[in-house]
Amino acid sequence: MSTPVFSTLGCRLNAYETEAMREMAEDAGLSGAVVVNTCAVTAEAVRKARQEIRRLARENPGAPVIVTGCAAQTEPETFAAMPEVTKVIGNHEKMQPETWQSLHAPDLIGETEKVRVDDIMSVKETAGHLIDGFGRHRAYVQVQNGCDHRCTFCIIPFGRGNSRSVPAGVVVEQIKRLVGRGFNEVVLTGVDLTSWGADLPGQPRLGDLVMRILRLIPDLPRLRISSIDSIEADENLMLAIGSEPRLMPHLHLSLQAGDDMILKRMKRRHLRDDAIRFCEDARKLRPDLVFGADIIAGFPTETEQMFENSLKLVEDCGLTFLHVFPYSARKGTPAARMPAVKGPVIRERAGRLRQAGDAALRRHLEAQKGQVHRVLTEGPRLGRTEQFTEVEFSTDQPEGSLMDVTIAGHDGLRLTV
């Protein structure tokens, strides 16, 4: 029988968990199945999940189709009703080895319950199944899962549960193993990364974890942190930004909007000036720091002036990499009951935000001409700088290595050497 086919939709954490599931499925001897790890961040993400399930079912006739991930957790009935789907598994269940050990006939041919999704809010432990990296160049380490906040547009806490952290000692030991296997860069990842530690003894903060990793693993060349909530950045995190060259100068910020009224209606915990102040303070500590950000276009009640405030945030915060999300109502969230902005207006505003993001990226690329960067190679002709900017090589390079290069120019999307 063939090995299982895995498909991942959504965030980097989902990609990490897919690799963990692949290991558990292989250990359990599962074969000939299709596994779809879904995303629930927008209604469009759920639509794409259904589309992906149908496509894979057509391409793998007769194969059992197992659906898991955030969309499976938040609306299991949607997927259970699809004739292509054999099994719906929750986000907690998918990370349990015994789940995969049980997925054999008759369990996979409908003689037991089709849906295996428990109450995610009752889960207290973090991912028990740690993997020693995936990819050949950069390793991702899950240090946190879930979220305690309730932004009015977001369904993710109901897919991931409340915030829970991996103890620092466990994280350090895993990264030591990764460095021993030759990884030159490690990325800390989670759903709400800056909430790490709140549920651990002594309530350490993310900055404490970062400083501990860098202190105890001196041979780790590069440490990167993924998306953070800037209002939760603690003193030690700022200290690490300013004093630790092995902490990469790139932060992706969960900003979502640049207008105070919209931020309040989103139930965010920061205001416009907080975001600008954080970027200014962080850049004073680390002048080469670059920022990415998530921004939603067309949130309910957003007027043209409110949108202009979000658009201007690109310049006021000095953002370089923009992730633009046209607002998409998620059933069951407070925002879905608010007065909606018309679809064409949402799309037009998203387009203007993307144009601003493209212009910001071009300015960043232009400023790198003639600069020397240490690049981590991700493929024969592709790598990334310390600032996470893509670099294209004209000749093949060894993958997973660090090399100093002089930037010759750019093509509008990535740097060239």
Side-chain angles (χ1 to χ4, degrees):
M1 292 287 285
S2 60
T3 58
V5 175
F6 281 83
S7 174
T8 306
L9 301 166
C11 66
R12 183 62 67 175
L13 184 55
N14 251 14
Y16 175 97
E17 291 174 344
T18 291
E19 294 307 307
M21 287 190 287
R22 192 190 307 275
E23 283 188 6
M24 288 184 282
E26 288 177 1
D27 289 346
L30 181 66
S31 61
V34 170
V35 183
V36 182
N37 197 8
T38 63
C39 173
V41 69
T42 63
E44 175 66 9
V46 177
R47 187 191 70 79
K48 286 183 177 178
R50 293 197 299 266
Q51 189 177 53
E52 178 74 348
I53 290 163
R54 294 186 184 107
R55 181 185 72 80
L56 288 170
R58 285 196 305 272
E59 293 178 0
N60 299 272
V65 176
I66 303 165
V67 180
T68 187
C70 288
Q73 181 70 45
T74 56
E75 44 185 289
E77 66 286 347
T78 296
F79 300 98
M82 295 180 67
E84 297 89 349
V85 174
T86 311
K87 211 78 169 166
V88 182
I89 296 173
N91 256 340
H92 178 59
E93 290 77 15
K94 76 181 184 184
M95 301 303 288
Q96 308 304 309
E98 56 268 26
T99 297
W100 299 95
Q101 290 160 8
S102 71
L103 287 176
H104 293 284
D107 201 30
L108 266 181
I109 55 174
E111 291 185 21
T112 58
E113 75 278 6
K114 188 172 186 178
V115 176
R116 201 184 295 179
V117 178
D118 289 337
D119 177 17
I120 196 74
M121 294 301 177
S122 66
V123 178
K124 302 301 180 190
E125 72 274 15
T126 327
H129 193 90
L130 296 177
I131 60 167
D132 282 349
F134 65 96
R136 286 169 291 180
H137 38 78
R138 177 181 293 107
Y140 291 82
V141 174
Q142 182 185 356
V143 303
Q144 183 274 339
N145 204 342
C147 184
D148 290 338
H149 310 302
R150 297 294 181 264
C151 298
T152 59
F153 57 85
C154 187
I155 199 76
I156 296 306
F158 303 98
R160 289 282 177 181
N162 292 316
S163 181
R164 48 212 191 271
S165 311
V166 178
V170 176
V171 175
V172 168
E173 287 306 311
Q174 188 190 13
I175 295 176
K176 283 181 178 177
R177 291 197 302 272
L178 292 166
V179 172
R181 290 182 54 207
F183 283 96
N184 282 314
E185 183 173 302
V186 167
V187 186
L188 303 183
T189 187
V191 174
D192 181 29
L193 199 57
T194 32
S195 71
W196 178 88
D199 57 325
L200 296 176
Q203 297 188 316
R205 304 292 300 276
L206 179 63
D208 301 321
L209 177 64
V210 167
M211 296 292 273
R212 183 169 178 175
I213 291 167
L214 292 170
R215 184 179 72 252
L216 296 179
I217 316 176
D219 50 348
L220 169 65
R222 293 169 43 148
L223 179 67
R224 198 179 290 280
I225 54 179
S226 58
S227 180
I228 67 166
D229 207 336
S230 58
I231 200 68
E232 288 188 328
D234 62 275
E235 187 177 338
N236 267 348
L237 183 57
M238 301 305 285
L239 178 63
I241 289 169
S243 65
E244 291 285 357
R246 290 185 294 143
L247 181 62
M248 294 296 95
H250 167 259
L251 292 174
H252 189 82
L253 309 177
S254 179
L255 297 182
Q256 310 306 346
D259 180 82
D260 283 351
M261 182 55 71
I262 292 297
L263 287 165
K264 288 177 180 177
R265 288 171 180 165
M266 287 178 166
K267 209 173 177 183
R268 300 293 293 164
R269 287 157 297 127
H270 72 273
L271 297 175
R272 174 192 181 82
D273 285 348
D274 296 322
I276 296 170
R277 190 180 310 111
F278 171 82
C279 292
E280 289 174 347
D281 290 347
R283 201 173 268 119
K284 284 175 188 172
L285 293 169
R286 188 79 176 266
D288 61 338
L289 190 61
V290 300
F291 299 105
D294 297 327
I295 299 184
I296 295 173
F299 186 81
T301 77
E302 183 184 74
T303 64
E304 180 62 24
Q305 182 56 55
M306 291 171 176
F307 169 73
E308 289 288 343
N309 287 336
S310 286
L311 190 62
K312 196 167 181 295
L313 199 66
V314 179
E315 180 182 340
D316 292 344
C317 282
L319 304 177
T320 297
F321 305 106
L322 234 59
H323 287 185
V324 176
F325 295 88
Y327 175 75
S328 173
R330 294 298 284 115
K331 184 180 176 183
T333 61
R337 301 190 295 272
M338 297 179 187
V341 176
K342 292 188 183 334
V345 175
I346 294 175
R347 289 189 290 274
E348 187 267 340
R349 289 176 182 171
R352 286 158 65 191
L353 268 174
R354 290 191 183 105
Q355 287 176 357
D358 291 344
L361 177 59
R362 282 195 298 273
R363 288 193 296 271
H364 169 70
L365 296 174
E366 192 67 28
Q368 307 313 306
K369 285 184 182 178
Q371 300 288 322
V372 176
H373 281 287
R374 174 151 285 198
V375 173
L376 174 67
T377 56
E378 298 184 348
R381 300 202 176 191
L382 190 67
R384 288 188 190 265
T385 69
E386 306 95 325
Q387 298 165 323
F388 212 57
T389 311
E390 283 192 331
V391 178
E392 188 169 4
F393 296 95
S394 56
T395 58
D396 287 357
Q397 307 296 329
E399 291 185 46
S401 61
L402 289 169
M403 51 198 309
D404 292 328
V405 301
T406 301
I407 303 303
H410 67 88
D411 61 7
L413 294 174
R414 56 175 66 96
L415 299 169
T416 54
V417 294

